Amino acid sequence: MSAARWAGPAQDAAEVLRRAKEIAPVLRERAPAIEANRTLPAEVVELLRGTGVFRMCFAREWGGPELTSVEQLEVVETLAHGDASAAWCAVIGANSGLLANFLHQSVVKDVYPSPDLITAGVLAPAGRAERVPGGFKLSGRWSFGSGIKHSDWVTSGAFLFQDGEPWAEPGSPHAHDSRQFLVPRSAVEVVENWDTTGLCGTGSCDYTMTDVFVPEEHTFTFWEVRGRPGPLAQPDSFMRALCGVPLGVARAALDHAREVAAARYDRMAGRSWADSWRVQTELARCEAEFNAAREGAYGAARRQWEVLAAGGTLDDLTPDERAASPLAWLHAFRASRAVVVRLYDLLQTWSINRSSPMDRWLRDTAVMCQNLTAQDAVLESVGAYLLGRPPLFRISLGLST
């Protein structure tokens, strides 16, 4: 299968999802090669590009289908049913359309002449940007640049300096400001250090830059919307679809376990696995946990979109509704990992060979749960918010505007 098999770009959510479902089995077949390559092979990148996943967040005025948060979740979950690394890179690369809401609108079409271009990078301000005439000189080293090798553009967070001293915008509430800096992939030096337990195919290497000039108009912040206001022009929009990856992996593991149980015969017990109380109850328990986690993520996304699409803001959500999204993201990651671990144990020695998809799903979910989205820092931030205290990650979690 190649991206060329589809006639033209995907223009709506139904078509993007249809194409994602079509390539999911192909991604499953290529999963061992993706993992061994430690980054997405070029043909897999083009398969993903052909689905329209990289354009799915672009507004219609920029030629994109402008998928809702729920629609994005469905697409990512479907791709992850095929391969977690491919889905992880897909949701990262799809950030291009979200960045367009915060960039100077005069440069969006120059930066993204096609909505199928891929952006990667690290949002945390790990770099240093020295003010110079017309822009900044950017230097630094950033860790975990998922999809960095096959990206077209790289966005990176950095603190601002002028004449070597910390700098802030006039009137800024901060003593030291940071921004995001968008540079061509060719300006970035990749450090080959991605050798991990799971999500091996994401190629989430470190990368460096030294005195790369970034024009002012290629810088932005997430608290200043420069495009059309809307549900996707929000600072938490980058976080919403990522939990589709663990959900898709958990669903794949559940389907696999049910197929195994339906076909296996226990000679020692003299009965089919499908007749085993242990197998029946464990599968049902895992299904219940998965369904609850999935509906939590989708339910929070639906409610948030309903308010924002009606012209409201995050402040129009109740505190509980606002807290529901980051809690649902975290729960989706952790519950999915728990489901995979229990199914791994259920299938026993049939799980442990490298040829078993359970082995890869166990390692992939273990690694993805080390992402900030699944950490106790999220619980701390949400708990502080619900108690009327300043959240640690207020912007990225959508807890404060």
Side-chain angles (χ1 to χ4, degrees):
M1 178 187 292
S2 69
R5 63 169 293 145
W6 293 301
Q11 298 293 357
D12 58 34
E15 180 63 14
V16 177
L17 183 59
R18 185 188 72 78
R19 294 184 185 189
K21 288 178 178 177
E22 194 171 333
I23 75 162
V26 180
L27 295 176
R28 178 74 62 83
E29 291 173 4
R30 299 188 184 180
I34 291 171
E35 182 168 61
N37 198 49
R38 293 196 300 122
T39 189
L40 295 190
E43 64 272 17
V44 172
V45 175
E46 293 313 308
L47 272 179
L48 291 171
R49 201 188 306 268
T51 67
V53 66
F54 296 129
R55 65 166 51 211
M56 69 179 178
C57 298
F58 269 102
R60 291 183 180 87
E61 57 262 35
W62 299 119
E66 200 171 337
L67 269 61
T68 69
S69 298
V70 170
E71 291 165 345
Q72 293 174 42
L73 258 177
E74 288 182 293
V75 171
V76 174
E77 188 179 13
T78 298
L79 293 172
H81 196 273
D83 181 70
S85 290
W88 191 272
C89 288
V91 72
I92 297 296
N95 284 344
S96 298
L98 301 175
L99 295 180
N101 297 311
F102 301 93
L103 277 170
H104 288 274
Q105 297 301 281
S106 61
V107 302
V108 171
K109 205 63 180 176
D110 293 332
V111 172
Y112 298 117
S114 165
D116 294 312
L117 295 182
I118 300 166
T119 305
V122 179
L123 304 182
R128 176 189 181 98
E130 182 75 24
R131 286 184 62 84
V132 295
F136 297 84
K137 286 288 187 71
L138 179 63
S139 300
R141 177 167 176 156
W142 292 261
S143 297
F144 308 116
S146 299
I148 193 76
K149 290 185 177 181
H150 61 255
S151 64
D152 300 293
W153 289 90
V154 177
T155 187
S156 308
F159 283 105
L160 310 184
F161 292 81
Q162 183 167 313
D163 298 326
E165 297 296 326
W167 186 84
E169 293 276 2
S172 171
H174 310 290
H176 197 184
D177 279 347
S178 66
R179 288 191 197 176
Q180 294 294 312
F181 296 82
L182 194 64
V183 305
R185 163 66 181 86
S186 57
V188 168
E189 204 62 45
V190 173
V191 181
E192 293 286 355
N193 64 341
W194 186 245
D195 187 14
T196 54
T197 303
L199 287 182
C200 301
T202 62
S204 303
C205 301
D206 287 11
Y207 63 93
T208 66
M209 283 180 269
T210 303
D211 289 336
V212 172
F213 176 72
V214 186
E216 178 78 31
E217 59 270 23
H218 283 194
T219 73
F220 61 96
T221 67
F222 292 120
W223 48 87
E224 182 184 358
V225 176
R226 290 165 169 158
R228 171 171 54 85
L232 294 180
Q234 306 287 336
D236 72 322
S237 58
F238 300 87
M239 309 285 284
R240 297 175 192 167
L242 194 60
C243 66
V245 181
L247 290 173
V249 172
R251 180 70 265 166
L254 280 161
D255 292 346
H256 174 73
R258 286 166 67 172
E259 289 172 6
V260 170
R264 185 151 289 152
Y265 187 83
D266 187 339
R267 288 187 172 85
M268 292 183 65
R271 65 184 179 188
S272 166
W273 266 42
D275 294 320
S276 166
W277 179 89
R278 178 183 72 90
V279 174
Q280 293 167 349
T281 54
E282 189 65 349
L283 278 176
R285 185 177 291 114
C286 287
E287 285 282 356
E289 293 182 10
F290 170 78
N291 289 337
R294 186 177 189 272
E295 184 52 37
Y298 277 81
R302 288 190 198 100
R303 176 55 184 156
Q304 185 192 59
W305 192 272
E306 178 183 276
V307 171
L308 296 175
T313 69
L314 292 175
D315 289 329
D316 293 313
L317 293 165
T318 68
D320 286 349
E321 289 173 336
R322 204 158 172 179
S325 290
L327 290 178
W329 304 334
L330 178 142
H331 188 58
F333 273 86
R334 292 188 173 184
S336 295
R337 176 177 61 178
V339 164
V340 169
V341 168
R342 293 173 76 159
L343 294 175
Y344 185 96
D345 289 344
L346 176 68
L347 299 185
Q348 300 168 336
T349 53
W350 288 283
S351 296
I352 64 177
N353 289 323
R354 288 284 180 172
S355 60
S356 167
M358 287 303 307
D359 169 76
R360 185 170 55 256
W361 291 329
L362 181 77
R363 292 182 288 106
D364 284 345
T365 52
V367 168
M368 68 180 71
C369 278
Q370 308 317 309
N371 184 266
L372 172 63
T373 319
Q375 296 300 300
D376 282 348
V378 174
L379 297 177
E380 179 185 1
S381 291
V382 175
Y385 170 75
L386 292 174
L387 291 171
R389 297 296 187 269
L392 181 63
F393 296 105
R394 63 186 184 88
I395 299 294
S396 59
L397 298 181
L399 297 176
S400 181
T401 53

